[in-house]
């Protein structure tokens, strides 16, 4: 029996599913007494340090956790739970952590690196711990903007470090008390093995000694390859994965059906996708909380898929026909509980930025701001659906133009990228540079950069678009739309600073295997999982 500390943090379902994958039963620790008494406790954590500490305090859990850890009882903390063991965090100045490990949690800050760190990085093991029995140097999944800083006083707690701009603590352990900055439940089989070493082991987890040298592993954050599933109701009413050409998903009037969402997601997990994204492409007109099948898709997928899941489509405030109001935070919370690690906002981000520009300031209550405050920036992706607008005179357009190598129909040498809403159906007086910089300011943690002109065309990514956005934001950017062969991924990583690349059609139609994409990128010298 494993006790799970569920205090309302982000995606706890995935942790539950990972524990269940070992055939173990889970009991929720709901009272402070449970925390002290539990034989083995898993303490997951997603979200803002201040919010997590406040929730723990309000539930009376902080003292119980201190007591449990002082007794040395088997405990496994994940992500913010590791950070909570320290004295405090720059994420929430003035909020005390549990204060068990000396030191502070700081924000990544190095020119040239995207923050948050999102993706697969490796470990340098400092000590021989049974926790890492069977670990072969595979990369594991990290998603965070803040890191536990190494110092002389916390070396005896440090199990391993990871480098991202700085070398920081990526796992701590003393006796039976363990915590990892990476998400074992989202790190494929390698992560499950580490979690399994804690969950199933009867003997002590105490470390046996210092490692003479770091375990060899490729260093650095890997470029991610993401499989994207555009989902909507098919002509039979069931949910299907579809795929358009320039966002038109119909062929001879019928919605293209390229497979079942859960089955395809499982296939991509097994084939090595680093992440899976579902886009509920008619979410702009249907209300997702009434669209139970989409929640079911997530729930079922997270039972078998142990890499990050993003869900987009319809994330916004909504009032139903009975006058019941749902905030965007309610919608997002329901998706997180169903197994999503990140939510992606499309149309509502455009509306929010247009409002911001009209008022000259943030309202504080947009979906981006509210979800980011509670779940952390790393959980908020902005999905952008831009298309090119060619102009002869860049100065007259009123928008951030680029000089393009692909001239327009009248030989125009300049273009800007216009943001659209409702799946490309309506264009707005807003360019991608405005949208993405303001969304970053409001608390978004990542940009999913589609391109209507390239979508489904298999002619390669729009490198000029990606370069323009990478030049104005410091959050990670996912290049999307247009992949047709492995070399297109090599090209996007070589010619731009894209952090990840996403494709749909070539994977659904089995034209290109994920393994071949990764092999081509690795051969070109990019770090890959
Ligand atoms: O506006 O918050 O409700 O979100 C709706 C979401 O649905 C947005 O993220 C929007 O991008 C997406 N969407 C809406 N309509 C469509 C459509 O295709 N008709 N899909 C759509 C967007 C683009 C990519 C696609 C890549 C790669 N699909 O996700 O997967 O272009 O394709 P490729 O590799 O085959 O070229 P909201």
């Amino acid at each position: 029996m494993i006790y799970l500390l569920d205090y309302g943090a982000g995606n706890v379902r995935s942790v539950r599913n990972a524990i269940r994958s070992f055939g173990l039963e889970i009991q929720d620790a709901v009272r402070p007494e449970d925390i002290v008494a539990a034989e083995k406790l898993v303490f997951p954590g997603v979200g803002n340090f201040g919010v997590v500490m406040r929730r723990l305090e309000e539930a009376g859990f902080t003292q119980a956790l201190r007591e449990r850890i002082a007794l040395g009882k088997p405990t496994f903390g994940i992500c913010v739970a590791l950070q909570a063991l320290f004295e405090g965090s720059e994420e929430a100045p003035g909020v005390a952590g549990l204060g068990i490990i000396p030191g502070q949690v700081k924000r990544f800050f190095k020119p040239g690196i995207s923050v948050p760190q999102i993706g697969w990085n490796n470990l340098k093991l400092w000590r021989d711990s049974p926790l890492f029995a069977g670990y072969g140097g595979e990369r594991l999944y990290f998603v965070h903007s803040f890191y536990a800083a190494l110092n002389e006083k916390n070396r005896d707690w440090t199990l391993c470090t990871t480098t991202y701009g700085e070398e920081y603590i990526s796992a701590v352990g003393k006796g039976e008390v363990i915590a990892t900055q990476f998400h074992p439940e989202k790190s494929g089989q390698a992560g499950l093995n580490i979690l399994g070493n804690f969950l199933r082991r009867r003997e002590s987890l105490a470390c046996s000694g210092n490692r003479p040298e770091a375990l060899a592993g490729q260093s650095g954050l890997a470029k991610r390859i993401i499989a994207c599933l555009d989902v909507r109701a098919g002509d039979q009413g069931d949910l299907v994965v579809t795929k358009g050409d320039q966002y038109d998903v119909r062929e001879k009037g019928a919605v293209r059906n390229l497979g079942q969402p859960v089955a395809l997601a499982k296939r991509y997990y097994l084939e090595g996708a680093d992440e899976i994204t579902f886009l509920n492409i008619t979410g702009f007109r249907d209300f997702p909380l009434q669209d139970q099948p989409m929640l079911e898709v997530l729930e079922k997928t997270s039972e078998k898929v142990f890499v990050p899941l993003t869900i987009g489509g319809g994330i916004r405030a909504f009032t139903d026909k009975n006058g019941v109001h749902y905030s965007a935070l309610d919608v997002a919370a329901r998706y997180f509980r169903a197994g999503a690690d990140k939510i992606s906002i499309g149309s509502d981000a455009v509306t929010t930025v247009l409002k911001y520009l009209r008022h000259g300031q943030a309202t504080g209550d947009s979906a981006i701001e509210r979800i980011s405050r509670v779940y952390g920036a790393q959980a908020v992706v902005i999905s952008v659906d831009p298309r090119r607008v060619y102009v002869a005179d860049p100065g007259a357009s009123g928008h951030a133009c680029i000089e393009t190598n692909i001239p327009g129909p009248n030989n125009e040498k300049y273009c800007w990228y216009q943001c659209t809403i409702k799946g490309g159906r309506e264009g707005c007086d807003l360019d991608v540079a405005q949208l993405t910089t303001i969304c970053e300011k409001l608390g978004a943690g990542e940009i999913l950069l589609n391109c209507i002109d390239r979508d489904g065309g298999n002619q390669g990514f729009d490198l000029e678009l990606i370069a323009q956005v990478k030049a104005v934001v410091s959050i990670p950017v996912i290049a999307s739309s247009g992949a047709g062969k492995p070399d297109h991924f090599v090209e996007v990583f070589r010619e731009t600073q894209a952090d990840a690349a996403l494709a749909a059609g070539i994977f659904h139609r089995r034209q290109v295997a994920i393994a071949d994409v990764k092999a081509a990128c690795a051969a070109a010298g990019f770090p890959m999982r």
Side-chain angles (χ1 to χ4, degrees):
M1 175 70 72
I2 305 297
Y3 274 77
L4 183 75
L5 189 57
D6 185 353
Y7 52 95
N11 179 11
V12 174
R13 179 179 289 268
S14 296
V15 179
R16 287 182 195 279
N17 287 335
I19 298 171
R20 289 203 184 102
S21 75
F22 294 102
L24 295 164
E25 298 280 311
I26 301 167
Q27 175 91 35
D28 282 329
V30 287
R31 299 166 312 165
E33 307 85 274
D34 300 335
I35 292 178
V36 183
E39 194 195 326
K40 281 194 178 180
L41 181 81
V42 176
F43 172 17
V46 178
N48 176 290
F49 183 92
V51 173
V52 167
M53 291 313 304
R54 198 182 61 237
R55 285 195 176 157
L56 291 173
E57 184 64 31
E58 282 167 4
F61 291 167
T62 31
Q63 202 39 44
L65 278 165
R66 283 196 190 100
E67 205 175 310
R68 176 180 180 85
I69 292 168
L71 292 169
K73 298 186 84 171
T75 307
F76 195 119
I78 300 173
C79 193
V80 185
L82 175 143
Q83 301 180 0
L85 298 176
F86 286 77
E87 291 165 311
S89 168
E90 286 181 3
E91 188 172 16
V95 175
L98 294 171
I100 291 157
I101 305 180
Q104 291 291 324
V105 174
K106 301 186 173 166
R107 191 171 204 282
F108 285 120
F109 184 73
K110 260 268 160 77
I113 68 163
S114 306
V115 180
Q117 169 177 228
I118 300 183
W120 301 75
N121 208 332
N122 62 345
L123 308 180
K124 176 172 155 191
L125 299 188
W126 285 37
R127 280 184 282 152
D128 270 325
S129 163
L131 186 70
F132 294 109
Y135 173 66
E138 299 90 343
R139 285 192 168 82
L140 301 161
Y141 184 72
F142 291 82
V143 51
H144 57 129
S145 303
F146 296 84
Y147 66 91
L150 263 174
N151 65 35
E152 278 310 316
K153 292 193 189 136
N154 59 34
R155 278 178 191 261
D156 57 334
W157 271 96
T158 304
L159 275 188
C160 62
T161 53
T162 291
T163 300
Y164 189 62
E166 319 280 338
E167 183 175 7
Y168 67 92
I169 301 173
S170 46
V172 292
K174 219 176 224 187
E176 311 303 306
V177 178
I178 306 283
T180 63
Q181 181 61 63
F182 57 86
H183 286 264
E185 79 284 13
K186 288 283 152 190
S187 296
Q189 196 53 53
L192 291 181
N193 291 345
I194 291 173
L195 190 61
N197 285 341
F198 169 79
L199 297 174
R200 293 194 295 194
R201 220 178 153 84
R202 299 218 167 267
E203 321 77 85
S204 164
L205 276 169
C207 299
S208 51
N210 292 340
R211 287 187 72 91
E213 58 196 41
L215 188 69
Q218 248 197 326
S219 78
L221 185 69
K223 298 286 187 186
R224 282 170 286 153
I225 304 299
I226 303 175
C228 182
L229 289 77
D230 288 359
V231 179
R232 61 159 289 163
D235 294 322
Q236 264 62 50
D238 53 335
L239 276 190
V240 298
V241 175
T242 190
K243 184 66 214 85
D245 287 322
Q246 300 195 338
Y247 285 31
D248 180 2
V249 299
R250 289 179 186 274
E251 198 165 14
K252 296 187 189 130
V255 172
R256 286 190 186 118
N257 179 349
L258 294 173
Q260 297 308 306
V262 180
L264 268 185
K266 278 189 206 160
R267 191 188 114 200
Y268 295 141
Y269 168 60
L270 296 175
E271 290 178 359
D274 295 319
E275 213 170 298
I276 289 165
T277 296
F278 291 104
L279 295 176
N280 183 356
I281 68 170
T282 51
F284 69 88
R285 60 169 183 246
D286 308 321
F287 180 49
L289 294 194
Q290 280 158 1
D291 188 8
Q292 298 298 330
M294 200 61 216
L295 292 169
E296 253 177 69
V297 163
L298 265 180
E299 287 168 3
K300 291 220 173 85
T301 303
S302 70
E303 281 169 20
K304 297 279 183 243
V305 172
F306 296 101
V307 292
L309 301 176
T310 301
I311 173 90
I315 303 205
R316 62 180 192 282
F318 187 83
T319 303
D320 71 12
K321 58 181 184 313
N322 302 318
V324 181
H325 181 74
Y326 299 85
S327 70
L329 194 58
D330 296 332
V331 182
R334 190 67 191 84
Y335 273 143
F336 288 129
R337 278 201 301 279
D341 300 284
K342 302 188 260 183
I343 52 88
S344 131
I345 305 177
S347 305
D348 192 69
V350 174
T351 316
T352 297
V353 170
L354 288 171
K355 210 186 224 179
Y356 179 104
L357 291 171
R358 264 199 313 278
H359 294 97
Q361 61 182 33
T363 59
D365 67 354
S366 67
I368 302 171
E369 292 158 281
R370 297 189 66 191
I371 300 169
S372 176
R373 271 200 298 273
V374 176
Y375 293 96
Q378 81 293 332
V380 182
V381 184
I382 305 300
S383 171
V384 194
D385 299 315
R387 64 159 59 93
R388 279 183 174 226
V389 178
Y390 281 101
V391 289
D393 176 5
S397 73
H399 287 289
C401 286
I402 57 159
E403 190 173 350
T404 175
N405 291 322
I406 309 159
N410 301 312
N411 208 27
E412 295 96 335
K413 296 202 168 37
Y414 301 93
C415 74
W416 61 282
Y417 290 93
Q418 180 189 40
C419 297
T420 66
I421 57 171
K422 301 182 180 174
R425 287 168 181 80
E426 286 176 29
C428 303
D429 187 24
L430 185 68
D431 62 59
V432 281
Q434 289 172 300
L435 178 83
T436 53
T437 48
I438 294 171
C439 286
E440 176 175 13
K441 208 182 284 178
L442 295 177
E446 192 170 35
I447 303 292
L448 164 51
L449 190 53
N450 304 300
C451 177
I452 298 179
D453 312 286
R454 296 294 176 112
D455 176 59
N458 299 154
Q459 298 302 307
F461 297 95
D462 188 329
L463 305 175
E464 295 177 333
L465 167 66
I466 299 155
Q468 186 188 23
V469 172
K470 270 308 285 188
V472 295
V473 298
S474 62
I475 53 181
V477 172
I478 302 166
S480 166
S481 305
K485 55 183 181 182
D487 276 355
H488 287 150
F489 293 83
V490 174
E491 183 182 57
V492 78
F493 293 138
R494 198 178 48 224
E495 304 298 328
T496 77
Q497 299 295 313
D499 299 271
L502 169 152
I506 52 168
F507 296 150
H508 302 336
R509 298 192 174 97
R510 293 187 186 271
Q511 286 163 334
V512 174
I514 294 171
D516 291 342
V517 170
K518 290 190 160 184
C521 295
F526 295 105
M528 306 301 292
R529 174 170 80 107

